[in-house]
Amino acid sequence: MERAWIIAVGTELMLGQTVDTNTAWLAERLAGLGVRAVRHLTVPDELAPLADVLRKAAAAADLVVLTGGLGPTEDDLTRFALARALDVELKTDAESLEQIRAFFARRGREMPEHNVIQAQIPEGGQAIRNAWGTAPGIRVAINGTPCYALPGVPHEMQAMFERHVRPVVQEAARGRVLRTRRLHCTGVSESQVGEALAPLMRRGRNPDVGTTAEIGVITVRINALADSPETADQRLDSAEQQVRERLGDSVFGRDDQTLASVVLERLIDRKATLSTAESCTGGMIGTLLTDVPGSSRAYLGGAVSYSNDLKQSLLGVPKEMLAREGAVSEAVARTMAEGARGRFKSDYALSVTGIAGPGGGSPAKPVGLVHVGLAGPEGPAVRTCRFGSDAPRQAIRMRAARAALNLLRLALVRRRGRAARAQCLRTAGTANLPIKVSNGRYV
Ligand code: ATP
């Protein structure tokens, strides 16, 4: 059993009124069992298209899992579609009928007559008990392909899958597993990552390697298929090492780690503290940091110094500097960071000043221009970023917050192994990353 089709049934899904979380959940579970979902389909509550899709799915896949449309109402047509795809009649399953009656009895109610339909199963199929709701699931084989119809309600579907479908799939997979690892990178574009990883991303490889992009973060996903969890993990380890060799310090973390969590880990390791001085990000760096449990062990807090007045009074940015250089300038970013470090008595301080748009840009200082600053025991550093004048305000702000965290992360890494990083970047061919540091040092 290697290839599954997952079918989500419901007109409300087609209209975007309900977000289909069932398919994602099932795909992930099946992958963990070594069964790859090769098709995700969403079908409206219509008999003929659903029956047609079921036949196609059974012909193409080793396993079909479908959710929704098992309720008692007029638009719940899954059981009829299964019967039509099999070309059989529905019959009442006495045990299911009893369980539905008992479900209502436990709630002190009589079973409404139309719920009888939920006990109807296509001939030759089996009912799957639902301990959490009224709709039993249905198992049939269409041309020999096992096909499970589960309820649409996510917690009922999940419980039923775990109890009744997982053991069968696990048995059929005979120990085969698909394991996934995610490596997160920043400071590089998706195409740079694609270029550096091209040999690993070739189609048909095991492990397979792919990328997804989020604001300022590229995630490399590695999927390893193997006959045992140990072998899968070995394959992941080896692929991870190759990815890290090619991408060097652009890789900041793995799986659930975030830029903020790795920065905090390093600071805590070193018993160092951090404060922030934020202008255009309005506290986003603080939010990213305080999202991490235990962040108070390193993060002291900060100032949201949006106006020039607060930049002066809270952080000691000289009035003349603001007049001469403008609030969005390398000098102000550096001075904000130094001011926060002194004022809040932290070992490190991060600052951000920039133009998030959509207004306020000029040819010399366009929307998307952001300076992030760092002050620390090794001296100050500023990175100038141009995120593009067409970028949405929220994206510019999030990228700025992440760029600031990355400036500190790289400074902390640099202390450990500057030479190693230079070597890694040469190997990856990413030595021209858009990193500019005003004090002449390379971070
Ligand atoms: P019921 O007996 O509750 O009617 P059912 O099998 O008929 O169960 P549906 O009527 O299709 O299921 O859906 C019930 C509810 O489950 C929907 O209102 C929706 O909130 C949720 N649901 C259905 N399909 C999905 C899905 N693919 N992803 C997330 N939620 C879903």
Side-chain angles (χ1 to χ4, degrees):
M1 190 179 281
E2 289 180 17
R3 296 153 57 87
W5 278 35
I6 301 174
I7 304 169
V9 183
T11 300
E12 79 279 15
L13 303 171
M14 300 292 296
L15 294 175
Q17 292 161 345
T18 300
V19 176
D20 173 15
T21 54
N22 285 350
T23 297
W25 189 90
L26 283 166
E28 201 171 21
R29 288 297 143 137
L30 289 171
L33 296 167
V35 178
R36 200 178 270 270
V38 293
R39 284 281 189 288
H40 289 182
L41 293 169
T42 309
V43 191
D45 297 299
E46 286 171 32
L47 188 54
L50 185 48
D52 187 44
V53 157
L54 277 166
R55 281 194 213 99
K56 287 195 177 114
D62 306 319
L63 170 72
V64 180
V65 184
L66 131 168
T67 68
L70 286 175
T73 53
E74 285 293 307
D75 62 356
D76 289 312
L77 298 171
T78 295
R79 69 191 66 255
F80 299 101
L82 286 167
R84 186 180 282 198
L86 286 161
D87 207 9
V88 298
E89 298 293 316
L90 290 170
K91 66 172 180 31
T92 302
D93 180 72
E95 204 181 324
S96 296
L97 189 57
E98 200 37 54
Q99 277 159 10
I100 298 168
R101 272 195 219 287
F103 178 92
F104 282 99
R106 281 198 298 279
R107 284 158 179 74
R109 287 161 55 200
E110 191 130 318
M111 183 186 81
E113 211 33 53
H114 60 254
N115 279 77
V116 172
I117 191 76
Q118 290 190 292
Q120 297 217 322
I121 304 294
E123 266 179 295
Q126 290 125 35
I128 307 174
R129 196 159 169 235
N130 182 351
W132 303 268
T134 57
I138 298 174
R139 182 191 187 284
V140 295
I142 305 178
N143 293 330
T145 303
C147 176
Y148 291 87
L150 306 177
V153 181
H155 76 269
E156 291 180 23
M157 180 281 289
Q158 291 170 12
M160 220 186 254
F161 178 91
E162 290 296 338
R163 185 171 298 182
H164 299 284
V165 185
R166 169 188 276 280
V168 181
V169 177
Q170 212 155 16
E171 171 72 24
R174 286 195 216 94
R176 223 155 36 88
V177 288
L178 185 104
R179 294 226 183 185
T180 297
R181 191 167 293 170
R182 290 172 295 144
L183 297 175
H184 309 294
C185 320
T186 194
V188 277
S189 67
E190 194 169 15
S191 54
Q192 280 176 306
V193 172
E195 210 172 293
L197 301 186
L200 305 179
M201 290 175 74
R202 271 200 295 271
R203 295 174 72 83
R205 281 176 55 105
N206 181 24
D208 70 66
V209 174
T211 57
T212 52
E214 212 211 308
I215 299 170
V217 173
I218 310 296
T219 296
V220 179
R221 285 172 182 274
I222 312 169
N223 299 312
L225 191 63
D227 289 334
S228 71
E230 294 73 26
T231 312
D233 284 344
Q234 278 164 13
R235 288 186 180 153
L236 288 177
D237 290 343
S238 147
E240 174 175 346
Q241 197 184 330
Q242 292 178 60
V243 171
R244 284 184 184 276
E245 275 165 13
R246 288 173 153 79
L247 297 180
D249 280 344
S250 335
V251 179
F252 66 81
R254 197 171 115 168
D255 297 327
D256 293 333
Q257 287 183 311
T258 62
L259 261 173
S261 78
V262 298
V263 162
L264 285 163
E265 266 171 45
R266 286 183 189 279
L267 290 169
I268 291 167
D269 270 359
R270 197 173 284 203
K271 298 189 176 34
T273 55
L274 170 67
S275 65
T276 45
E278 300 189 55
S279 187
C280 66
T281 44
M284 282 166 105
I285 307 177
T287 302
L288 293 174
L289 288 163
T290 53
D291 275 344
V292 181
S295 48
S296 63
R297 291 168 65 199
Y299 181 55
L300 304 182
V304 177
S305 49
Y306 211 49
S307 68
N308 282 359
D309 281 352
L310 281 194
K311 287 183 183 76
Q312 288 172 53
S313 60
L314 272 180
L315 303 167
V317 180
K319 195 173 178 185
E320 312 73 59
M321 181 187 278
L322 285 162
R324 194 180 60 243
E325 309 274 345
V328 179
S329 60
E330 290 190 356
V332 168
R334 185 185 313 114
T335 312
M336 283 170 69
E338 285 170 331
R341 183 170 182 248
R343 173 98 191 219
F344 304 131
K345 298 187 173 42
S346 55
D347 299 304
Y348 291 91
L350 283 173
S351 67
V352 183
T353 176
I355 302 167
S362 67
K365 294 189 178 180
V367 168
L369 174 69
V370 176
H371 303 284
V372 294
L374 168 68
E378 300 86 22
V382 178
R383 183 183 163 194
T384 296
C385 312
R386 291 174 193 274
F387 296 129
S389 44
D390 295 335
R393 181 176 173 84
Q394 278 309 88
I396 291 172
R397 281 152 40 90
M398 181 52 84
R399 291 189 71 175
R402 288 183 165 154
L405 288 170
N406 197 41
L407 184 65
L408 174 54
R409 179 187 72 89
L410 289 173
L412 294 169
V413 170
R414 184 188 59 199
R415 273 176 65 136
R416 269 203 340 204
R418 218 162 138 201
R421 177 169 187 274
Q423 178 58 40
C424 285
L425 287 172
R426 272 199 296 280
T427 316
T430 51
N432 295 326
L433 298 183
I435 295 176
K436 178 187 165 202
V437 173
S438 65
N439 62 1
R441 280 190 303 190
Y442 187 74
V443 292

